């Protein structure tokens, strides 16, 4: 179902890990976990991480005591996920499966998971609704889906403020394609409105809408974000803004928490 060949991700494991370790990557994981935590009750969960890559998120949840199944179609990402889980001491709580999301129903049990993570998948697929249908099918009744994607509304602001290229910012307003440097490939811009509408058509309700990195990506001085004191203040501000309008509307990433489809 992904429109991007798996070798794109196989070749970028190191670059992806560097991005994850950077301040903006660390914020992404902290904020996502914070937002999801608002909707959990402390129980141990069965979690499905769709397109989970090198396992950073899966391992975080496994370390908290949850049982996690990670599905991805990149062999190199999966090998990295296995190594990370073993090195962290949670190999017994992380299972990895090689599969495309379109074949998810062939490799995982329907209606069996408490939480499904769909993070950074939708920009790489042309058919959002069909992808979401595959992602939602493994949820048990009453389960939750967490969906994160780059926010198309943030791109014109980012280009205008960081790059001071007003022509490119204007062109980004209605662009149907953008480029991701980390994986060196074109992706589809998405909005929370678009994805929320697709979820409703599938019988799923949106329980929460959050923004991830409401200010970080608009601050031009990336080097200062590595300063521990500055980063601590940045993280505090980001946590305060994640559920506040209007900031969540133009955050670099949108984050939706959705219910399992009604039976």
């Amino acid at each position: 179902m992904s429109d991007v060949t798996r070798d794109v991700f196989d070749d970028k494991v190191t670059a992806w890990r560097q991005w994850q370790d950077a301040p903006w990557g660390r914020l992404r994981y902290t904020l996502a976990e914070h937002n999801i935590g608002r909707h959990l009750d402390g129980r141990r969960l069965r979690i499905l991480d769709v397109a989970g890559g090198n396992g950073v998120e899966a391992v975080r949840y496994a370390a908290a005591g949850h049982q996690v199944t990670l599905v991805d179609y990149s062999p190199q990402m999966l090998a990295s996920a296995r190594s990370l889980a073993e090195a962290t001491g949670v190999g017994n709580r992380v299972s990895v499966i090689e599969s495309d999301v379109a074949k998810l129903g062939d490799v995982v049990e329907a209606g069996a998971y408490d939480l499904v993570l769909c993070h950074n998948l939708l920009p790489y697929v042309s058919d959002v609704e069909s992808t979401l249908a595959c992602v939602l099918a493994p949820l048990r009744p009453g389960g939750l889906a967490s969906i994160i994607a780059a926010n198309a509304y943030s791109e014109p602001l980012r280009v205008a403020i960081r790059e001071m290229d007003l022509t490119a910012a204007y062109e980004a307003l209605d662009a149907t394609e953008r480029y991701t440097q980390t994986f060196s490939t074109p992706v589809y811009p998405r909005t929370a409105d678009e994805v929320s509408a697709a979820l409703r058509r599938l019988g799923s309700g949106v329980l929460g809408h959050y923004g991830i990195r409401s200010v970080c990506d608009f601050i031009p001085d990336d080097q200062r974000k590595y300063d521990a004191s500055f980063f601590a203040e940045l993280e505090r501000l980001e946590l305060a803004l994640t559920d506040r309008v209007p900031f969540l509307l133009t955050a670099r990433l949108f984050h939706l928490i959705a219910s399992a489809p009604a039976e």
Side-chain angles (χ1 to χ4, degrees):
M1 184 174 291
S2 174
D3 295 9
V4 181
T5 58
R6 66 189 65 196
D7 60 287
V8 168
F9 301 102
D10 279 342
D11 293 342
K12 296 292 184 177
V13 175
T14 300
W16 181 231
R17 185 68 222 193
Q18 290 171 345
W19 183 94
Q20 291 168 321
D21 288 337
W24 36 92
R26 288 153 52 202
L27 284 171
R28 145 70 176 86
Y29 291 101
T30 297
L31 289 161
E33 191 171 337
H34 171 78
N35 297 338
I36 293 169
R38 297 180 180 204
H39 299 266
L40 303 181
D41 59 10
R43 292 181 299 113
R44 296 291 183 259
L45 306 175
R46 286 192 70 189
I47 298 175
L48 177 63
D49 190 359
V50 181
N54 63 344
V56 165
E57 209 143 30
V59 166
R60 286 173 75 114
Y61 279 102
H66 305 293
Q67 196 71 37
V68 187
T69 299
L70 185 157
V71 178
D72 201 281
Y73 74 167
S74 164
Q76 292 303 316
M77 286 287 185
L78 291 174
S80 181
R82 289 190 192 94
S83 296
L84 180 62
E86 292 296 333
T88 312
V90 295
N92 61 324
R93 290 200 293 272
V94 177
S95 303
V96 299
I97 299 173
E98 183 178 339
S99 176
D100 186 271
V101 66
K103 299 177 180 177
L104 197 59
D106 297 334
V107 296
V108 299
E109 185 181 353
Y113 292 88
D114 303 295
L115 174 65
V116 173
L117 309 180
C118 177
H119 296 170
N120 201 37
L121 170 61
L122 296 185
Y124 297 93
V125 300
S126 55
D127 191 334
V128 167
E129 192 164 335
S130 293
T131 301
L132 288 174
C134 294
V135 167
L136 294 171
L139 276 177
R140 66 164 180 79
L144 299 173
S146 171
I147 300 159
I148 296 175
N151 179 14
Y153 294 149
S154 75
E155 184 66 0
L157 286 174
R158 187 194 68 81
V159 174
I161 294 169
R162 287 184 60 97
E163 300 178 14
M164 298 191 68
D165 187 337
L166 301 186
T167 298
Y170 180 84
E171 292 172 348
L173 287 171
D174 299 308
T176 57
E177 192 175 89
R178 57 177 291 267
Y179 190 81
T180 172
Q181 292 185 347
T182 303
F183 292 111
S184 304
T185 190
V187 292
Y188 301 100
R190 300 294 178 209
T191 68
D193 295 338
E194 169 196 10
V195 175
S196 295
L199 287 166
R200 287 192 294 270
R201 288 193 295 270
L202 293 167
S204 177
V206 176
L207 306 177
H209 176 191
Y210 305 100
I212 292 179
R213 302 206 312 264
S214 297
V215 296
C216 175
D217 291 56
F218 304 125
I219 298 173
D221 188 351
D222 283 342
Q223 194 57 44
R224 193 170 181 195
K225 298 167 193 174
Y226 285 89
D227 176 81
S229 296
F230 185 85
F231 180 81
E233 287 297 303
L234 177 60
E235 183 178 66
R236 183 176 73 158
L237 178 60
E238 291 285 4
L239 287 166
L241 295 177
T242 187
D243 64 343
R244 298 196 190 194
V245 177
F247 308 104
L248 64 85
L249 301 176
T250 54
R252 189 58 178 152
L253 308 172
F254 66 83
H255 187 186
L256 301 177
I257 305 296
S259 62
E263 295 181 336

